[in-house]
Amino acid sequence: MRKVVVILKSESENADNYGTLLEKHGYEPVFIPTLDFSFKNLDVLRDRLLSPYKYSGLIFTSPRSITAVRDALQGQRKLKDDWKTLDNYSVGETSRELIQRTLDLDTKGHHSGNASNLADFIKTDLYNKTITMPFLFPCGNLKQDVLQNKLSEYGYSLDSVEVYETVPHRDLERNLVALFAGEREKEGDRTIDSLLFFSPSGINYCAHVFEKHRIDLTGKRIIAIGPSTKKAIENKGITVHRTAEKPSPDYVVGALLQDT
């Protein structure tokens, strides 16, 4: 019997990395795009990017913020060199590589895994440094306040620019309904073993579909990527079986294999 792992995340360049590693360990990955994004305020962001002298650095916590900076540069593909001398941070190895490739900028803290850990890393990294300027923080409309609250507690400030809106992917409902209907029709051939949720907004949109179509998750392992997603899943009354502390294929597969 083939064990299906449903990857519920926004479309991104690293989706294939998850699929390749899952297949290596005997799982059948099924990728269902969960979120879509519309960009805004790029003119505001561009004005900020032209003034690096007003900032202590840039902070990236999502791939969309990287895309927003790239688009705000209007095809220049390169930030002002002055940004390179500042303290710039990001979450995730994939994001760090994308920033290097797209913006020609090095960032620190990529190993931190989530915004809370990144704030702690920034505090340690800037120990004994005098920081008077804010950090430029391109973000989405559903951003959590963990990063801002922690950095404020540590004595640092953010200039947040909301550069994208998060919405459900146009095909999410249709794809989820078809997936679970297909499992019922092919009993014994393949079964949905696990569902991987990558964001609070992702589980919120999926939970609406589960409730509307009375999709039963009994017997399915629910894997959360990060503590914020875990909390959002539990708030929906769904049991989380494992949590991958970082959004990387190795951590996700490690969480899956804990039960096998």
Side-chain angles (χ1 to χ4, degrees), residues 128-139:
N128 277 342
K129 275 191 177 182
T130 300
I131 301 296
T132 58
M133 299 292 189
F135 289 92
L136 180 57
F137 179 44
C139 59

Side-chain angles (χ1 to χ4, degrees), residues 159-177:
D159 179 8
S160 301
V161 181
E162 195 172 287
V163 292
Y164 65 90
E165 299 269 353
T166 304
V167 296
H169 192 278
R170 61 189 177 280
D171 296 325
L172 175 62
E173 181 173 356
R174 178 169 60 84
N175 288 339
L176 278 177
V177 171

Side-chain angles (χ1 to χ4, degrees), residues 5-200:
V5 174
V6 186
I7 305 170
L8 294 151
K9 70 188 300 290
S10 59
E11 295 180 276
S12 63
E13 293 183 355
N14 70 332
D16 288 344
N17 297 339
Y18 287 90
T20 300
L21 196 54
L22 286 167
E23 288 175 345
K24 181 179 176 181
H25 287 276
Y27 293 103
E28 178 187 343
V30 173
F31 174 58
I32 293 186
T34 309
L35 308 176
D36 211 344
F37 308 94
S38 59
F39 291 91
K40 62 181 184 178
N41 295 329
L42 296 188
D43 54 338
V44 176
L45 179 60
R46 184 171 189 274
D47 287 343
R48 303 287 204 280
L49 293 171
L50 292 175
S51 304
Y53 59 90
K54 294 181 179 179
Y55 296 98
S56 294
L58 269 159
I59 296 179
F60 299 92
T61 58
S62 76
R64 272 73 57 192
S65 61
I66 304 167
T67 301
V69 169
R70 180 201 67 192
D71 292 351
L73 292 173
Q74 299 179 334
Q76 294 178 38
R77 292 186 57 82
K78 193 174 181 181
L79 286 163
K80 281 180 168 286
D81 285 341
D82 290 347
W83 284 106
K84 296 181 180 181
T85 65
L86 303 180
D87 292 294
N88 303 297
Y89 301 94
S90 64
V91 173
E93 181 63 36
T94 300
S95 289
R96 184 180 75 105
E97 292 174 357
L98 183 60
I99 294 164
Q100 286 178 326
R101 186 170 67 252
T102 305
L103 305 176
D104 191 27
L105 184 73
D106 288 326
T107 55
K108 299 175 284 186
H110 55 278
H111 58 278
S112 54
N114 59 60
S116 179
N117 291 343
L118 179 62
D120 293 336
F121 174 84
I122 290 173
K123 178 187 178 184
T124 302
D125 187 58
L126 297 179
Y127 183 70
N128 277 342
K129 275 191 177 182
T130 300
I131 301 296
T132 58
M133 299 292 189
F135 289 92
L136 180 57
F137 179 44
C139 59
N141 63 310
L142 299 181
K143 75 173 177 65
Q144 310 237 340
D145 292 328
V146 174
L147 181 69
Q148 183 159 343
N149 290 344
K150 267 199 161 185
L151 287 180
S152 177
E153 178 187 334
Y154 296 152
Y156 309 118
S157 61
L158 292 180
D159 179 8
S160 301
V161 181
E162 195 172 287
V163 292
Y164 65 90
E165 299 269 353
T166 304
V167 296
H169 192 278
R170 61 189 177 280
D171 296 325
L172 175 62
E173 181 173 356
R174 178 169 60 84
N175 288 339
L176 278 177
V177 171
L179 176 69
F180 280 87
E183 183 191 38
R184 290 194 297 271
E185 293 168 3
K186 301 175 183 177
E187 290 184 12
D189 178 35
R190 69 204 291 261
T191 182
I192 298 173
D193 177 82
S194 307
L195 291 91
L196 311 181
F197 292 97
F198 284 74
S199 68

